[in-house]
Structure formats: structure tokens, C-alpha cells
């Protein structure tokens, strides 16, 4: 678990690369963490909101992809 979250608080290039290559995994991980480790879920969600190509509209509606940075 810690390996997957390594770099989430001060996102490194390595974390950003991992996130962009496996966005679906990190979204699912974030959802699972809400149940077992809510504080880690919040940390991950903030990183997802900042770096993810997937953008959200409202509570949970996926609206499309943002252009890559």
C-alpha cells in the first residue's frame, strides 16, 4: 500500500507517471481506501484531482478527459 501511495503528498515525477499509466487503478484504490483508510483516501483524492486526466462533474459523473500536460 505504501509503495502505491509513495509521492502522493508532494507529487514526484515518478508518482505522476504511475498515476497517469494506471488512473483506473488509482480511482479504484481511492474508493477502497475510503472504507479502510479514509485519511489516505483523502490524500490520494487530492492528488487525483490535481494530476488526473479524467475530470469529474458533480458528485461522481465522469465527463471526459482533460488534455495531457
Amino acid at each position: 500500500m505504501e509503495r502505491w501511495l509513495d509521492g502522493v503528498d508532494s507529487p514526484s515525477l515518478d508518482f505522476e507517471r504511475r498515476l497517469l499509466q494506471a488512473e483506473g487503478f488509482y480511482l479504484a484504490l481511492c474508493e477502497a481506501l475510503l472504507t479502510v483508510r479514509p485519511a489516505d483516501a483523502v490524500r490520494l483524492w487530492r492528488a487525483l484531482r490535481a494530476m488526473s486526466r479524467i475530470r469529474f462533474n458533480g458528485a461522481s459523473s465522469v465527463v471526459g478527459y482533460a488534455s495531457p500536460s
Side-chain angles (χ1 to χ4, degrees):
M1 181 73 66
E2 292 309 315
R3 168 92 166 99
W4 292 329
L5 295 177
D6 184 40
V8 75
D9 293 314
S10 56
S12 63
L13 290 176
D14 186 52
F15 178 77
E16 185 173 0
R17 178 187 54 80
R18 288 192 324 259
L19 174 68
L20 294 177
Q21 289 178 347
E23 286 182 77
F25 165 76
Y26 277 98
L27 285 168
L29 177 61
C30 189
E31 185 176 356
L33 285 172
L34 284 171
T35 303
V36 294
R37 293 170 65 171
D40 287 333
V42 169
R43 293 170 47 221
L44 180 55
W45 179 249
R46 288 181 179 146
L48 285 166
R49 293 282 296 171
M51 289 186 278
S52 181
R53 290 184 193 147
I54 297 172
R55 296 293 176 233
F56 303 90
N57 182 18
S60 64
S61 301
V62 176
V63 295
Y65 290 88
S67 57
S69 323

